[in-house]
Amino acid sequence: MGAFVVSALLKFSELSYTMGESRRLRVSGEATSGEILQITGPSGCGKSTLLRLLARLIPRETGQITLLDQPDTAINPLVWRTKVHYFAQKPIMTEGSVWQNILYPFTLKIRADQPKPDRHVAIQLLQKMALPAEILEQTAASLSWGEKQRVALVRSLLMEPVVMLLDEPTASLDDGSRGAMMALVAEWLSERDGRSVVLVSHNSEQLAGVPLRALSLG
């Protein structure tokens, strides 16, 4: 039998972006199936900027990005973001209930062919992060900041992206909630091949037992 080859899902080469008069990001790397790529470096070195470049939320100055060996220039940006999903530090919630917020991305034209998530699956994911089923009926505005982060993660996982870009996802959580969130990310990652995570986080101890590679900036 031949050796098992870890496939790179998302590759980026010589990406550059000017962040100020004296700061310029320039970086290469790849996110492989079944692994977490952890972005490290001092404050202001461009960690969050890199995630936004990979999500195509801001334009790079030079360099290349490919997803499954297909260049990003060949993929509509809206389609790209359904496959390479950016999870921001401050998740956005719309008016309405938690369940309506979870369903919202599936009401958009870009996901017209994607089935809506199963309510029972959503409940199971919420419960894994110590959130009760009843929270689906609450208004999103009534949630605490930590609850919003956990609900937003469930919404993101239900979108079934290829690559998750997580920008300090546990910043507002206590130790128990932080561990539960990272355990759920690890579970999602291991459920099937063809998934990867790019993570900005200062809490590397949360990632015990998860295949991990580090990319240092600055």
Side-chain angles (χ1 to χ4, degrees), residues 60-73:
R60 64 185 180 273
E61 294 170 359
T62 63
Q64 296 179 330
I65 310 174
T66 61
L67 178 68
L68 299 171
D69 294 326
Q70 189 173 13
D72 65 336
T73 52

Side-chain angles (χ1 to χ4, degrees), residues 5 14 29-30 40 54 56 89 107 116 122 181 187 211 215:
V5 178
E14 299 297 323
E30 61 182 34
T40 64
L54 296 177
R56 296 174 65 186
Q89 292 183 23
T107 67
K116 288 184 171 61
M181 176 178 277
E187 180 182 311
L215 175 62

Side-chain angles (χ1 to χ4, degrees), residues 97-103 106 115-127 131-138 154 158:
S97 69
V98 168
W99 180 235
Q100 287 172 321
N101 268 266
I102 289 174
L103 291 180
F106 301 89
K116 288 184 171 61
D118 184 285
R119 186 182 178 94
H120 294 293
V121 173
I123 289 173
Q124 290 173 354
L125 294 175
L126 289 167
Q127 290 177 335
L131 294 174
E134 293 76 18
I135 202 172
L136 290 177
E137 308 307 326
Q138 287 184 226
V154 168
L158 290 171

Side-chain angles (χ1 to χ4, degrees), residues 152-200:
L153 179 67
V154 168
R155 180 174 59 189
S156 296
L157 297 181
L158 290 171
M159 293 182 202
E160 297 188 351
V162 175
V163 179
M164 288 276 287
L165 308 174
L166 303 180
D167 193 356
E168 293 283 0
T170 64
S172 299
L173 303 180
D174 58 31
D175 289 344
S177 298
R178 185 180 299 125
M181 176 178 277
M182 293 312 301
L184 186 57
V185 170
E187 180 182 311
W188 174 82
L189 190 61
S190 64
E191 279 178 343
R192 67 179 70 163
D193 291 334
R195 290 175 172 176
S196 187
V197 172
V198 182
L199 171 71
V200 171

Side-chain angles (χ1 to χ4, degrees), residues 40-62:
T40 64
S43 178
C45 70
K47 298 185 292 296
S48 295
T49 298
L50 173 58
L51 294 193
R52 291 174 61 80
L53 287 168
L54 296 177
R56 296 174 65 186
L57 293 171
I58 54 176
R60 64 185 180 273
E61 294 170 359
T62 63

